[in-house]
Amino acid sequence: MSSIQIRPATLRDAKAIAQIQVSSAQDAYKEFWPDTALNGLSVAQRQAYWREAINMCAPQVLGAHLDNEVLGFAGRARSRDKGTKNTVGEIWSIY
C-alpha cells in the first residue's frame, strides 16, 4: 500500500504545482470570476513563479506526493507581521 509523502518541492515539481493551482482556481472560482479571468490563468506563468519560489525558498514549498505524483502543496514562510518572533510563520498557500 502506498502512502503520501510530504517533502520539500523540487524544480521538477513546479509544473505540477502550477497545474494544481490553476485548475483549482478555475474550479473554485467559476461562479465568482468571469470566464475571461479564469481562462486567462496561465500554467506557464504560475510555473515560472513556483520555480523561482522553490529556487529561492521564498516561500518554502512542500509537496504532497503519492507514487511520485504531486497531489497537493503548501507554501510557508516567516510571518510578515511586524514585531513577530523569528519562529512565527504563516502559510501562504495550500492546495
Side-chain angles (χ1 to χ4, degrees):
M1 180 176 174
S2 297
S3 61
I4 294 174
Q5 303 292 315
I6 306 297
R7 64 165 174 73
T10 66
L11 293 175
R12 285 186 283 187
D13 298 328
K15 185 173 183 180
I17 289 170
Q19 290 169 328
I20 290 167
Q21 186 177 38
V22 169
S23 65
S24 295
Q26 289 172 329
D27 190 51
Y29 300 120
K30 64 185 169 194
E31 294 183 30
F32 307 104
W33 289 6
D35 288 343
T36 54
L38 292 172
N39 294 335
L41 296 174
S42 165
V43 171
Q45 287 178 339
R46 298 314 303 160
Q47 181 180 359
Y49 170 83
W50 287 112
R51 284 183 61 81
E52 182 176 344
I54 292 165
N55 194 44
M56 302 294 291
C57 294
Q60 295 173 345
V61 184
L62 299 173
H65 297 79
L66 180 62
D67 298 329
N68 293 319
E69 180 182 347
V70 180
L71 302 177
F73 70 94
R76 63 190 175 109
R78 188 178 173 288
S79 176
R80 293 172 284 184
D81 294 335
K82 292 184 189 290
T84 57
K85 295 180 181 180
N86 288 347
T87 56
V88 175
E90 61 186 64
I91 295 173
W92 286 22
S93 59
I94 186 166
Y95 289 80

